[in-house]
């Protein structure tokens, strides 16, 4: 396209593209890869509904950006889901973690650390390193807004 007189250079190219236009510009294979990864994460999250120690919401949170890059319709479906949608929206908007999830996370880390020490019986240096990582993770989780 030719530039009209008096129009600043590059003004047409500097307009923000719509999400649909951005997806069309992205390669078909890249969109397909993001879609497959998102579907895989949703499938793992679905398994987590039935397996007690496998987190569901974590995998759905990871699926959101995959669907944002491949299928806005599936992203919207996740955000509007009656069971998981509110938690996903809270995470997206405020980085919030519900109190029951904080409790479950910290309890899981404590139990996992206890099982690790009992089953592996590591030396004190490894024990301290693992404990430091878990304390850092627990602190991060507890400092998230509720």
């Amino acid at each position: 396209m030719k530039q009209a007189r008096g129009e600043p250079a590059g003004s047409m190219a500097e307009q923000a593209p719509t999400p649909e236009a951005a997806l069309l510009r992205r390669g078909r294979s890249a969109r397909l890869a993001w879609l497959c990864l998102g579907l895989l994460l949703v499938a793992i999250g679905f398994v987590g509904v039935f397996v007690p120690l496998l987190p569901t919401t974590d995998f759905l949170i990871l699926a959101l950006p995959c669907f944002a890059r491949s299928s806005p319709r599936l992203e919207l479906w996740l955000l509007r889901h009656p069971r998981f949608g509110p938690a996903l929206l809270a995470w997206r908007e405020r980085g919030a973690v519900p109190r029951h999830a904080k409790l479950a996370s910290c309890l899981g880390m404590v139990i996992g650390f206890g099982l690790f020490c009992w089953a592996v019986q590591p030396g004190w240096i490894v024990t301290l390193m693992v404990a430091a990582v878990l304390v850092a993770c627990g602190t991060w989780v507890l400092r998230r807004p509720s």
Side-chain angles (χ1 to χ4, degrees):
M1 286 191 332
K2 288 191 175 184
Q3 179 179 336
R5 290 183 189 242
E7 186 178 337
S11 66
M12 293 295 275
E14 292 175 7
Q15 292 177 354
T18 63
E20 293 82 14
L23 284 176
L24 288 176
R25 262 193 280 138
R26 188 169 280 132
R28 186 176 185 173
S29 59
R31 283 194 326 265
L32 183 61
W34 283 116
L35 179 66
C36 290
L37 180 59
L39 291 172
L40 176 67
L41 291 167
V42 168
I44 294 170
F46 181 73
V47 170
V49 171
F50 303 103
V51 177
L53 295 178
L54 187 64
T56 298
T57 308
D58 297 355
F59 288 103
L60 298 181
I61 287 171
L62 292 172
L64 276 177
C66 297
F67 289 149
R69 290 170 175 81
S70 63
S71 173
R73 186 173 49 124
L74 287 174
E75 178 189 24
L76 193 60
W77 171 76
L78 268 181
L79 291 172
R80 290 183 176 170
H81 192 276
R83 170 99 169 109
F84 304 111
L88 296 174
L89 280 170
W91 175 258
R92 178 176 268 184
E93 293 171 359
R94 300 182 318 276
V97 177
R99 284 196 176 122
H100 71 275
K102 289 179 181 185
L103 177 65
S105 175
C106 290
L107 186 62
M109 284 188 260
V110 168
I111 292 171
F113 181 70
L115 289 173
F116 166 73
C117 290
W118 175 74
V120 177
Q121 297 178 350
W124 65 273
I125 294 175
V126 174
T127 302
L128 287 178
M129 289 185 343
V130 171
V133 169
L134 290 177
V135 166
C137 292
T139 302
W140 184 85
V141 168
L142 292 174
R143 295 193 65 189
R144 305 303 313 157
S146 292

